[in-house]
Amino acid sequence: MSPKREFPTNFLWGSATSSHQVEGGLKNNWSLWEKENAKRLSESVLNNRPWFLTNEKNYNEAIDSNNYISGIAADSYNRYKEDVKILKELGLKSYRFSVDWSRIEPEEGVFSKEGLAYYKSLVEELKKNDIEPFITCWHWTFPVWIEKELEDERVVEYFERYVSFLVENLGEDVKHWGTINEPMSMTLGYLLGLWPPGKKNIFSFFKVCGKVLVDMHKVGYRVIKDYDSSLQVSFAQNNSLNVAYRDRFLNKIPTKILDYFWNYWFLDKVVDYMDYISLNFYMKNVVSLTGRKNPKEPVSDMGWYMEPRAIGGVLKNLRDRYDLPIYITENGLADREDKYRSWWIDETVLGMLDAIEAGVDLRGYMYWSLLDNFEWAEGFWPRFGLVEVNRENQDRRIRGSAYHYSKIVKKNGII
Ligand code: BGC
């Protein structure tokens, strides 16, 4: 008889967001960059992303420069109670969100009571509803006074002071902490110039990713553990499943290189400074010597090839290499018409069950994202939300796939 395919009791089903992408009303390095780049992004979009043409609504938004300004975003700053109510209605048990450094320390060394009060109220609202908060201290945005961002190593000391403030004020109520989000993806802004600071410099990339962010994570970890050693600390790592095209020997070489570099290079440096793995999973890559050979179908609205069940392989690989408990802190797709989302979630659930059956200590899953939000350099057009957000008035509407997810959550397994 095959073993019972089920999730552990107390499995933390949930959802995730980040401050800049949902709160609205922020003044940080990204909001400045958006203003300078919105026009360019709207004009260059068709050269970079021809698949926009397949959906008229996406197309129309993508060529509009307003799409690239975060502005009021999903107005979660004012509507967080409504958002927590939705989490509760769906039966979710965890919520990952990030604190915007610019709200907490708008000027160097000056900590804002109002900024802190917002996050305290959010945490309080979550706890009142029995939803476990997962805090991320830094999801890519800086207060504007940190002028050189990651290129000035003083940022490590600034981060230490900021994280101390956070943990001293929120440490009693929040058990799960994330220092930084996806160092590898974020620093593409230094290697490929996609994002602030818009650099294309391999030396900068190696310095900020291989040294500055490593140090930021380590000091953040130490500060949080010094405050209370029982707090659980990690950072979010985006791993993909990489396989060689047609399993050919020559394709295995670039696959190994990509796999090591993207998935493990950073993790290996900080593995002694983490209590769990915080996995963000989106992609499977079929790799060949001449580039990526992903199948053309099915793809999400972002043009990303979708094979959600591949999450099982990523989880097993992480277990084999590090043997730590794992939470999935992001996973999802851009799907305006909600055509694939329920399927994606079902397949992901099967992938997670395969991993659990193989002995992976998986403790939670947070769908990205709770809300339609501001997708960085793509702006608002990609719709990742379990909840649709009306761009005109920020009203919420729960999507069909969210109710589908909710059934899985309430059953704690396949429905
Ligand atoms: C980031 C999110 C982003 C998501 C979808 C992750 O890399 O952490 O901020 O919205 O991917 O692209």
Side-chain angles (χ1 to χ4, degrees):
M1 212 171 75
S2 68
K4 219 163 139 206
R5 288 170 66 80
E6 61 182 25
F7 285 85
T9 339
N10 301 329
F11 189 76
L12 285 178
W13 297 100
S15 192
T17 59
S18 91
S19 56
H20 189 74
Q21 297 179 269
V22 299
E23 282 180 14
L26 288 163
K27 186 166 180 262
N28 54 33
N29 67 324
W30 261 88
S31 58
L32 297 185
W33 185 85
E34 289 156 18
K35 290 191 184 104
E36 281 161 22
N37 289 275
K39 192 155 176 288
R40 176 182 65 81
L41 291 169
S42 66
E43 286 169 358
S44 60
V45 75
L46 292 181
N47 307 334
N48 304 337
R49 304 272 194 267
W51 55 83
F52 282 2
L53 297 168
T54 60
N55 180 308
E56 205 184 325
K57 289 183 189 154
N58 288 341
Y59 172 89
N60 288 336
E61 287 182 23
I63 58 169
D64 177 355
S65 59
N66 292 319
N67 170 67
Y68 301 91
I69 304 282
S70 59
I72 193 172
D75 197 24
S76 229
Y77 184 71
N78 295 305
R79 296 184 180 235
Y80 68 93
K81 287 197 178 162
E82 194 181 337
D83 295 339
V84 175
K85 210 166 147 206
I86 294 174
L87 289 166
K88 184 73 183 173
E89 182 184 336
L90 296 176
L92 302 187
K93 302 178 175 79
S94 62
Y95 182 53
R96 173 177 177 243
F97 63 95
S98 74
V99 174
D100 213 83
W101 192 343
S102 69
R103 258 194 217 294
I104 295 290
E105 196 182 357
E107 285 171 51
E108 183 172 356
V110 180
F111 291 90
S112 156
K113 283 199 184 119
E114 205 187 328
L116 177 66
Y118 168 65
Y119 295 106
K120 271 197 172 272
S121 314
L122 172 58
V123 169
E124 197 183 307
E125 196 65 20
L126 290 167
K127 306 266 315 184
K128 230 165 55 191
N129 286 285
D130 294 320
I131 299 167
E132 187 69 24
F134 277 64
I135 274 197
T136 302
C137 300
W138 179 76
H139 197 122
W140 299 359
T141 50
F142 286 110
V144 290
W145 57 266
I146 302 186
E147 281 169 17
K148 292 197 150 176
E149 304 174 14
L150 294 171
E151 283 178 303
D152 177 349
E153 286 186 46
R154 279 180 302 179
V155 72
V156 179
E157 287 159 40
Y158 303 150
F159 190 65
E160 183 172 13
R161 186 176 58 187
Y162 160 67
V163 176
S164 307
F165 179 83
L166 289 186
V167 76
E168 276 159 22
N169 286 285
L170 297 164
E172 260 183 43
D173 292 316
V174 180
K175 187 169 175 228
H176 292 94
W177 288 74
T179 53
I180 63 176
N181 181 66
E182 294 190 11
M184 295 295 288
S185 343
M186 192 275 159
T187 44
L188 293 181
Y190 292 78
L191 184 66
L192 306 177
L194 298 177
W195 299 326
K199 293 228 155 153
K200 291 185 188 168
N201 184 323
I202 192 157
F203 300 107
S204 286
F205 167 79
F206 275 107
K207 183 181 162 196
V208 299
C209 196
K211 168 95 177 73
V212 180
L213 283 171
V214 168
D215 290 348
M216 270 170 67
H217 170 71
K218 286 184 182 171
V219 297
Y221 178 85
R222 189 179 43 71
V223 161
I224 298 167
K225 297 299 273 190
D226 282 354
Y227 172 82
D228 176 350
S229 60
S230 74
L231 299 182
Q232 298 298 291
V233 190
S234 190
F235 77 97
Q237 165 76 13
N238 177 342
N239 274 20
S240 44
L241 187 72
N242 303 309
V243 297
Y245 181 53
R246 296 194 170 146
D247 207 29
R248 295 241 167 90
F249 174 74
L250 276 181
N251 297 331
K252 287 186 181 169
I253 300 166
T255 309
K256 282 254 174 247
I257 296 172
L258 175 73
D259 208 43
Y260 169 71
F261 193 63
W262 184 262
N263 289 345
Y264 307 121
W265 179 65
F266 193 94
L267 261 171
D268 280 359
K269 292 180 193 291
V270 300
V271 68
D272 294 335
Y273 299 79
M274 26 200 296
D275 302 314
Y276 63 95
I277 289 175
S278 161
L279 168 69
N280 295 356
F281 172 78
Y282 291 93
M283 296 257 187
K284 172 172 169 179
N285 296 312
V286 182
V287 186
S288 85
L289 260 188
T290 52
R292 200 150 64 170
K293 292 264 191 288
N294 284 357
K296 301 256 176 301
E297 292 283 334
V299 293
S300 73
D301 289 355
M302 298 267 282
W304 296 355
Y305 168 60
M306 298 188 288
E307 198 177 310
R309 212 190 272 210
I311 198 168
V314 173
L315 289 166
K316 286 181 232 168
N317 291 345
L318 283 167
R319 188 272 319 270
D320 292 349
R321 197 170 177 107
Y322 303 110
D323 201 17
L324 283 168
I326 307 179
Y327 290 91
I328 294 157
T329 44
E330 274 185 43
N331 171 263
L333 72 163
D335 181 17
R336 178 190 289 264
E337 310 297 347
D338 210 25
K339 192 168 142 201
Y340 290 113
R341 197 170 279 105
S342 297
W343 164 79
W344 171 286
I345 294 171
D346 284 344
E347 288 291 300
T348 303
V349 164
L350 293 173
M352 292 195 288
L353 281 170
D354 286 347
I356 290 171
E357 234 169 65
V360 173
D361 181 3
L362 183 63
R363 300 192 178 176
Y365 168 81
M366 283 155 252
Y367 177 86
W368 181 273
S369 166
L370 177 66
L371 303 167
D372 284 344
N373 60 37
F374 182 75
E375 176 58 21
W376 306 111
E378 306 293 347
F380 285 108
W381 72 262
R383 304 292 210 266
F384 275 86
L386 290 172
V387 177
E388 182 182 340
V389 178
N390 181 318
R391 289 290 324 124
E392 298 300 312
N393 56 17
Q394 281 67 48
D395 280 355
R396 274 78 167 131
R397 184 186 72 82
I398 299 178
R399 289 198 163 98
S401 55
Y403 289 116
H404 179 79
Y405 177 40
S406 176
K407 284 190 197 146
I408 295 174
V409 169
K410 288 175 183 160
K411 182 145 186 254
N412 199 31
I414 310 172
I415 46 174

